[in-house]
Amino acid sequence: DLATAFNDRGQIKYLRVEFAAAMEDYTAAIECQPGFEVPYYNRGLVLYRLGCFDEAMKDFRKVLELNPQFEDAALSLKQTILDKEEKQKRSY
């Protein structure tokens, strides 16, 4: 389906370190199928790597709302919270 195709294309772009283009595809996948948790997770990973911790946490929380058993999203959310706190302690 279209949402899976966008997500898969986003993965290719992510692996090429084309983060902005990957996020566009993940967002397109979400728009096609808002209940599909995987592109939220993938977009969250990109946001995390870019240091956009609040936005990443929002996506990881959405994944867990849609699928509470998504363990990687739970781990990523915890790591994002820790990294955000560490960044605030160092205030940079």
Side-chain angles (χ1 to χ4, degrees), residues 6-50:
F6 275 124
N7 183 71
D8 292 348
R9 190 172 74 176
Q11 282 297 96
I12 292 165
K13 292 175 182 176
Y14 177 79
L15 294 172
R16 291 180 180 161
V17 197
E18 297 171 6
F19 293 147
M23 285 205 325
E24 286 176 17
D25 280 342
Y26 297 142
T27 300
I30 289 163
E31 289 168 356
C32 287
Q33 193 177 334
F36 183 26
E37 72 272 19
V38 176
Y40 287 102
Y41 175 71
N42 291 331
R43 189 174 68 182
L45 291 176
V46 174
L47 289 163
Y48 171 82
R49 290 203 48 191
L50 294 174

Side-chain angles (χ1 to χ4, degrees):
D1 67 63
L2 193 56
T4 301
F6 275 124
N7 183 71
D8 292 348
R9 190 172 74 176
Q11 282 297 96
I12 292 165
K13 292 175 182 176
Y14 177 79
L15 294 172
R16 291 180 180 161
V17 197
E18 297 171 6
F19 293 147
M23 285 205 325
E24 286 176 17
D25 280 342
Y26 297 142
T27 300
I30 289 163
E31 289 168 356
C32 287
Q33 193 177 334
F36 183 26
E37 72 272 19
V38 176
Y40 287 102
Y41 175 71
N42 291 331
R43 189 174 68 182
L45 291 176
V46 174
L47 289 163
Y48 171 82
R49 290 203 48 191
L50 294 174
C52 302
F53 297 137
D54 291 332
E55 294 91 338
M57 286 188 289
K58 185 177 174 187
D59 274 351
F60 294 142
R61 286 187 175 114
K62 183 64 177 179
V63 173
L64 294 169
E65 176 187 312
L66 294 168
N67 178 359
Q69 307 307 313
F70 201 125
E71 288 185 28
D72 285 345
L75 291 171
S76 295
L77 177 59
K78 286 179 189 170
Q79 188 61 53
T80 304
I81 292 167
L82 289 172
D83 288 355
K84 180 183 176 189
E85 289 171 354
E86 185 63 30
K87 183 178 178 183
Q88 287 172 335
K89 282 181 198 167
R90 295 182 185 185
S91 29
Y92 64 84

